[in-house]
Amino acid sequence: MSGYARFIDWLSRHPATVLGLALLLSLAAAAQVIDLDTGRPRITIDVSTDRLLPPSDQDRQVFERAREVFGDADAVLMAVEYEAIFAETTLAQIAALTRALEQLPGVEGVFSLATAPNLLAQGEDLEVSSFTEQAAADPARIPLLANELAANPLYAGTLVSADGRRTLLAISLDAAALAGGERGPIDRFRELAQAQGARSVWITGSPVVQAATTEALLDSLAFIIPTIYALIVVMLFLAFRCLRSTLAVVFCATQALLWTAAAAAALDLPLNLVTVITPPLVITLGLAYAIHVLSEHFSSGARTRAERAARSLEVMSNMTPALMLSGITTIAGFLALLPNVLPSIRQFALLSSLGVMALVINTLFVLPALLHLLRTGSRAHERGEKLTQRWAGRLAAFDIKWRNQIIAVGLILVPVNLWLASSIPVGADYIGAFREQAPVRVEYEAINAEFNGANLAFVFIDTYVDDALTDPRLVAQIDQLQAWLRSQPEVGATASYVDHLKLLNQGLNSGDPAYFGIPDDPAAIKQLLLFGGSEQLERAIDARYRAALITVRLKVRDSIAIGAFAERAEARLRQLPPPLNGKLTGSPVLATRTVNEIGSGQWQSLLLASLAIWAMLAFMFTSLRAGLWAMLPNLVPVSVYFGTLSLLGIPLNPTNSLIASIVLGIAVDDTVHYLARFNRHARATGSETAAVRSALAATLKPVTLTTVALCSGLLVFTGSELLTQVQFGLLAAFTLLLAWVSELLLTPALGSRLRIVTLWDLLRLDLGQSPQHTIPLLSGLSLRQARVFALMSKLEAVPAGQRVITQGDLARDMYVVVDGTVEAWLERGEERKRLATMTRGAVMGEAGYFGQRRTANVDALTPVRLLRFDSQDLERLRRRYPSIAATIFRNLNRIQAERLARATAMLQ
């Protein structure tokens, strides 16, 4: 017994120990997940768009540099509605609301009618008080304020709506105000506005969207995970009619999820828009893996303790190769995402891989132990078996009859759909990810329409030269850049220190419109900037006059439109003369760049996943060609998925870009299970046609159940508040359904043409001591090559006293004795003439192989093991393993030549 066999035997006989070890590991995992001092989970949530890019990314570094110089410019935008904005009472309420907001913890500043300076010339003096302060000081000026605001390029269309009923407040927050995506501050903003008589309140901005996204993710998990657990209970109970086994699966899935969560906490991997998929995915995969184990477990009854122990051992032994390979290929699909430049996708790849490892351990070892301890499997469940057998027979007949056509369709679908995939757009709409009736989307769209855009982007200009931005020539270049920005269809408004400068120049010249321009003298420019210093100006130019920030209000929200604008803007920024260095930045810009990185990394990830899975299949099936053919049924649904995206015009986004690698890693599981069964049945029956039917009969039910389980688990995502997760669930379920069709049609069609030799078979096959040295037909081969030949042939066990060859029969195969003793003899009337006693290494039956009738009888004197092969076996060997076939043919010719020489010597 091998070391692994002894290990499996020990596990099957000590289920309580296995379960105890698993529980200890789960307790340690729970201590890692929950902070024992506070009782709060250690897993964090991070939905910020800037951290979707790697720290070394140039765009992220520009964004963080702009933050360092000017603070967090991603303000919360709050629009409040009154009967009329320019009324004494309303302006007083806006001023009171501004003061109340400024006093809240985490609020760094508020830009509103109560803080925006309205430059007003008073003779040779310049008044820089705010609109509300001027209204309070002189109520008679209130009717003039609307016109003054409309004429101000800094505020026109951005502070008060066109109908004069709504005003906008921009609330700047410190970094900790919305840590973890909490909505508390946002709700408090709304309460304060309503306390100041606001009829309605709209709130948006990147912090608000991030908070809403966090809330939606938590709500989705709270809905999806319990729903998937309910599906597990219902599906397993209906399929196997055993509550105890159902509870065992739930326990194992929960343990795997707990271990995965512990890994996330230990590695500080946060939940974000991508990694949030991992928990429900782990549970769903656990259901799929468990179905295969339960199908094997309930394939025969086990009543006594000894029978249950034997059954547990059998389940582990039979399921280990397929389950291990399934887990490895699924992990390979996930790990292929690791080269992606986006940290969130790399985190998903690592976390999901760890989750699959936890699932394989629980399904392969803990689940059989639990099934043993709970005394399940006391009877075989035959429900639906007749229906399964009938459909398996029909499918097998169809697959074999139309084998060439099915394979041809599969070979055509892959390149055609990959060609279609070349035109898939890449884009995301983070606001559009919410349902149309979601408040965060409704309020965003309302502010976007009323105030010339709600998406804030920025042009960060850094000269690295003190006072450079007081040079009139450079100031004029920035003014021209602003004019260009305002002309772009995506831009609603822009603001910069140049606008402040013009207004200051006009105000100090008695408000004469002719002075609304840039002074010619750098000293004058610097003096104006010093004189007009304000909080708003500090957010537009730094104290050393070397860096500036242009605020750009975008009226568009999807990344495709933002990307088109960004491409034009970057081209325009490259035209700036030195020392002006301009970069477009901001949350919507970073989100767009993130999506573009997904598009560029998609094909790399898919290629790596395909190569990794093909390499493992080739390794496990001991043939590059067999591994390639085994990949085809899984490449078909993935290619059709991409073709569908192209035909429907669905862009790739951070969520649906994962589907290809996920499905490729999962779908190959069913291929492995089928080919493993087919391989076993083909070797047992000696008929590929019969093996197709029997393998389909054995796998049709579990493969169908796993597909239903996976699709059902993925369709639960359609209950999410985020449309990106809804789309992920629908597309992933659709692709897995395609994979199921491919497994039932294409895999059997290919299998009927292949004789698969698995690495597991090679390791388990026992040909005795040094077969390449003790069996002449295998001379010159390595041990591995000898086992490959044996597996391409048929290894048969014959009990003592049984006839192996009957004289006079027509047969086209020959035998090699592996173990035991046989006797060849002839019938001469009633007389039995003994010809020879043959032992290990003897070759017999060659006359039948060369088309003649059997020339003698051969009986087994002891229990024997024989290798039986025919010309078809050798032809398959020649195609798959030409070097092994050449050695076998050489040895066969040598054996026949020696036999002919001995026969000739006897005649002489």
Side-chain angles (χ1 to χ4, degrees):
M1 183 183 292
S2 67
Y4 180 76
R6 286 193 297 271
F7 174 65
I8 293 294
D9 181 64
W10 184 89
L11 289 177
S12 68
R13 298 182 186 281
H14 299 85
T17 303
V18 174
L19 183 59
L21 291 173
L23 287 173
L24 286 175
L25 188 56
S26 293
L27 287 174
Q32 181 65 43
V33 172
I34 304 296
D35 189 326
L36 299 179
D37 295 330
T38 63
R40 295 174 62 87
R42 287 195 174 98
I43 299 176
T44 58
I45 297 177
D46 184 1
V47 296
S48 55
T49 53
D50 58 302
R51 283 189 286 274
L52 288 176
L53 290 169
S56 60
D57 181 82
Q58 183 179 1
D59 294 315
R60 178 172 171 180
Q61 290 178 348
V62 170
F63 184 72
E64 291 177 347
R65 168 70 176 148
R67 271 182 169 177
E68 179 185 341
V69 176
F70 296 105
D72 192 351
D74 278 336
V76 172
L77 304 179
M78 181 170 69
V80 291
E81 181 184 7
Y82 293 92
E83 179 67 27
I85 294 299
F86 292 102
E88 185 176 358
T89 303
T90 303
L91 290 172
Q93 289 173 319
I94 293 171
L97 173 60
T98 301
R99 288 192 298 271
L101 290 170
E102 289 174 333
Q103 293 172 5
L104 289 177
V107 174
E108 292 187 334
V110 179
F111 181 71
S112 70
L113 288 173
T115 58
N118 182 31
L119 302 180
L120 185 63
Q122 300 284 356
E124 294 183 357
D125 296 325
L126 183 67
E127 184 181 345
V128 291
S129 57
S130 69
F131 289 88
T132 59
E133 288 171 339
Q134 292 175 10
D138 184 6
R141 291 206 68 253
I142 292 178
L144 304 175
L145 294 179
N147 293 331
E148 292 173 359
L149 185 136
N152 191 315
L154 285 170
Y155 312 139
T158 60
L159 263 182
V160 178
S161 61
D163 61 7
R165 296 172 57 196
R166 298 180 183 87
T167 185
L168 192 70
L169 296 88
I171 307 167
S172 300
L173 305 171
D174 62 28
L178 287 174
E182 297 178 1
R183 285 189 55 87
I186 298 169
D187 294 335
R188 184 62 179 150
F189 299 162
R190 196 182 304 275
E191 292 170 2
L192 289 176
Q194 291 169 346
Q196 291 300 327
R199 291 185 170 187
S200 64
V201 182
W202 301 332
I203 303 179
T204 192
S206 293
V208 178
V209 175
Q210 290 175 16
T213 303
T214 299
E215 186 176 358
L217 292 179
L218 291 174
D219 290 344
S220 296
L221 287 178
F223 167 76
I224 290 172
I225 291 179
T227 305
I228 293 177
Y229 270 117
L231 279 173
I232 291 177
V233 173
V234 172
M235 289 189 60
L236 292 180
F237 184 74
L238 290 178
F240 299 102
R241 301 289 179 173
C242 179
L243 181 60
R244 285 172 292 175
S245 63
T246 300
L247 294 177
V249 173
V250 170
F251 175 83
C252 290
T254 303
Q255 275 205 144
L257 182 60
L258 179 59
W259 297 359
T260 307
L267 298 173
D268 195 22
L269 300 179
L271 286 182
N272 52 46
L273 290 169
V274 179
T275 57
V276 73
I277 297 171
T278 301
L281 187 63
V282 167
I283 302 173
T284 304
L285 283 173
L287 173 59
Y289 287 178
I291 285 174
H292 285 287
V293 173
L294 292 183
S295 296
E296 182 75 18
H297 179 75
F298 285 115
S299 61
S300 64
R303 297 181 180 277
T304 67
R305 179 181 179 86
E307 287 176 344
R308 287 196 301 274
R311 189 68 194 135
S312 179
L313 175 61
E314 186 178 352
V315 168
M316 288 184 185
S317 298
N318 289 343
M319 294 306 300
T320 294
L323 248 180
M324 291 293 289
L325 185 55
S326 296
I328 291 171
T329 52
T330 303
I331 290 172
F334 290 143
L335 291 183
L337 297 167
L338 279 179
N340 197 292
V341 298
L342 302 183
S344 58
I345 291 183
R346 293 202 302 269
Q347 290 163 4
F348 167 80
L350 180 58
L351 196 56
S352 297
S353 299
L354 294 173
V356 172
M357 290 175 60
L359 278 176
V360 170
I361 293 171
N362 274 275
T363 307
L364 196 56
F365 304 127
V366 181
L367 182 56
L370 265 177
L371 295 175
H372 180 132
L373 291 171
L374 294 175
R375 301 184 179 184
T376 60
S378 59
R379 60 188 178 90
H381 294 271
E382 299 178 358
R383 183 179 297 272
E385 290 300 323
K386 291 183 179 179
L387 181 64
T388 301
Q389 293 289 337
R390 183 161 63 249
W391 276 104
R394 292 175 180 175
L395 276 172
F398 179 86
D399 292 343
I400 293 171
K401 179 180 179 180
W402 301 100
R403 174 175 59 193
N404 293 333
Q405 291 86 341
I406 292 172
I407 295 174
V409 169
L411 290 172
I412 292 171
L413 281 175
V414 173
V416 169
N417 281 283
L418 290 180
W419 173 74
L420 287 172
S422 62
S423 61
I424 297 176
V426 178
D429 184 351
Y430 292 99
I431 293 294
F434 293 92
R435 299 180 186 272
E436 290 185 4
Q437 66 275 20
V440 65
R441 180 170 175 177
V442 171
E443 294 181 13
Y444 168 88
E445 291 176 343
I447 291 178
N448 190 58
E450 291 278 355
F451 296 97
N452 287 327
N455 245 350
L456 298 182
F458 306 93
V459 175
F460 178 60
I461 296 176
D462 203 348
T463 64
Y464 305 100
V465 178
D466 289 349
D467 295 331
L469 296 181
T470 62
D471 183 339
R473 180 181 60 87
L474 298 181
V475 176
Q477 288 289 333
I478 295 175
D479 192 33
Q480 293 172 19
L481 172 63
Q482 267 192 271
W484 181 88
L485 289 170
R486 291 189 184 105
S487 70
Q488 302 308 301
E490 300 89 353
V491 177
T494 71
S496 76
Y497 84 99
V498 179
D499 298 312
H500 288 271
L501 180 64
K502 289 180 176 180
L503 286 170
L504 288 167
N505 192 38
Q506 179 183 1
L508 286 176
N509 288 277
S510 303
D512 187 347
Y515 287 90
F516 185 74
I518 303 168
D520 296 330
D521 182 19
I525 292 176
K526 188 172 182 179
Q527 184 178 7
L528 284 173
L529 293 175
L530 285 170
F531 177 79
S534 65
E535 183 180 341
Q536 284 68 41
L537 187 57
E538 289 174 0
R539 289 184 175 273
I541 188 169
D542 74 329
R544 298 166 67 182
Y545 307 122
R546 60 187 294 171
L549 199 68
I550 302 175
T551 302
V552 183
R553 285 179 178 267
L554 297 177
K555 299 183 289 186
V556 292
R557 70 189 192 200
D558 69 276
S559 65
I560 295 177
I562 294 174
F565 164 72
E567 187 175 352
R568 296 195 307 274
E570 290 292 352
R572 177 65 179 81
L573 291 172
R574 286 193 290 271
Q575 297 174 13
L576 293 174
L580 296 178
N581 296 288
K583 286 291 184 180
L584 186 68
T585 188
S587 293
V589 177
L590 289 184
T592 298
R593 302 260 164 83
T594 298
V595 173
N596 291 337
E597 291 290 351
I598 288 170
S600 62
Q602 175 69 74
W603 302 113
Q604 178 189 20
S605 298
L606 186 60
L607 179 61
L608 285 175
S610 299
L611 288 174
I613 293 173
W614 167 69
M616 278 181 282
L617 288 173
F619 178 70
M620 292 303 296
F621 293 151
T622 68
S623 167
L624 299 178
R625 179 171 171 267
L628 189 61
W629 280 113
M631 279 293 296
L632 182 60
N634 306 290
L635 290 177
V636 168
V638 171
S639 66
V640 173
Y641 162 69
F642 283 117
T644 302
L645 289 184
S646 178
L647 292 174
L648 296 180
I650 299 174
L652 277 175
N653 59 50
T655 307
N656 67 25
S657 65
L658 305 174
I659 291 176
S661 293
I662 290 174
V663 171
L664 190 60
I666 293 174
V668 75
D669 295 354
D670 291 336
T671 303
V672 169
H673 282 289
Y674 174 84
L675 291 177
R677 296 268 189 177
F678 171 80
N679 182 43
R680 197 157 66 234
H681 292 300
R683 189 164 297 113
T685 62
S687 168
E688 278 75 13
T689 302
V692 168
R693 186 184 186 284
S694 57
L696 269 175
T699 58
L700 180 58
K701 180 178 178 180
V703 166
T704 302
L705 283 175
T706 54
T707 300
V708 171
L710 288 168
C711 290
S712 300
L714 290 167
L715 288 175
V716 173
F717 280 91
T718 58
S720 173
E721 294 182 30
L722 296 175
L723 295 180
T724 51
Q725 292 195 334
V726 173
Q727 185 188 80
F728 169 82
L730 289 172
L731 289 174
F734 164 73
T735 310
L736 281 171
L737 184 63
L738 292 177
W740 175 73
V741 174
S742 180
E743 293 301 339
L744 296 185
L745 297 179
L746 186 52
T747 303
L750 289 169
S752 64
R753 299 177 62 93
L754 295 172
R755 175 66 66 82
I756 302 298
V757 174
T758 70
L759 180 63
W760 184 256
D761 293 322
L762 287 177
L763 296 176
R764 290 198 304 181
L765 184 63
D766 180 18
L767 292 178
Q769 185 70 28
S770 301
Q772 69 273 33
H773 300 132
T774 55
I775 299 177
L777 185 64
L778 306 180
S779 177
L781 299 176
S782 67
L783 178 59
R784 186 193 69 84
Q785 290 174 322
R787 287 174 171 172
V788 167
F789 170 71
L791 291 168
M792 294 294 287
S793 306
K794 302 164 188 70
L795 187 61
E796 300 178 348
V798 180
Q802 184 170 312
R803 179 69 50 86
V804 177
I805 294 175
T806 302
Q807 183 180 354
D809 282 354
L810 281 173
R812 299 299 302 273
D813 46 18
M814 57 195 306
Y815 297 84
V816 178
V817 179
V818 176
D819 291 315
T821 304
V822 297
E823 181 183 67
W825 58 279
L826 294 173
E827 290 185 355
R828 295 288 191 224
E830 295 182 358
E831 183 181 354
R832 174 186 175 119
K833 182 176 181 180
R834 176 178 169 278
L835 297 178
T837 299
M838 293 173 286
T839 57
R840 178 176 174 81
V843 176
M844 56 190 181
E846 64 276 10
Y849 177 83
F850 291 110
Q852 305 296 320
R853 290 184 180 272
R854 299 294 196 190
T855 58
N857 298 306
V858 178
D859 293 338
L861 297 181
T862 65
V864 295
R865 289 193 302 146
L866 305 170
L867 277 180
R868 178 167 63 90
F869 59 92
D870 56 22
S871 57
Q872 291 182 348
D873 296 325
L874 291 181
E875 176 59 21
R876 275 192 296 267
L877 184 71
R878 184 191 65 79
R879 291 198 306 265
R880 290 269 303 279
Y881 305 97
S883 62
I884 298 177
T887 303
I888 293 295
F889 282 128
R890 182 202 67 190
N891 292 340
L892 189 58
N893 288 336
R894 180 183 298 167
I895 291 169
Q896 293 305 308
E898 291 174 354
R899 187 164 296 178
L900 180 61
R902 287 197 301 270
T904 301
M906 290 175 64
L907 291 174
Q908 292 175 348

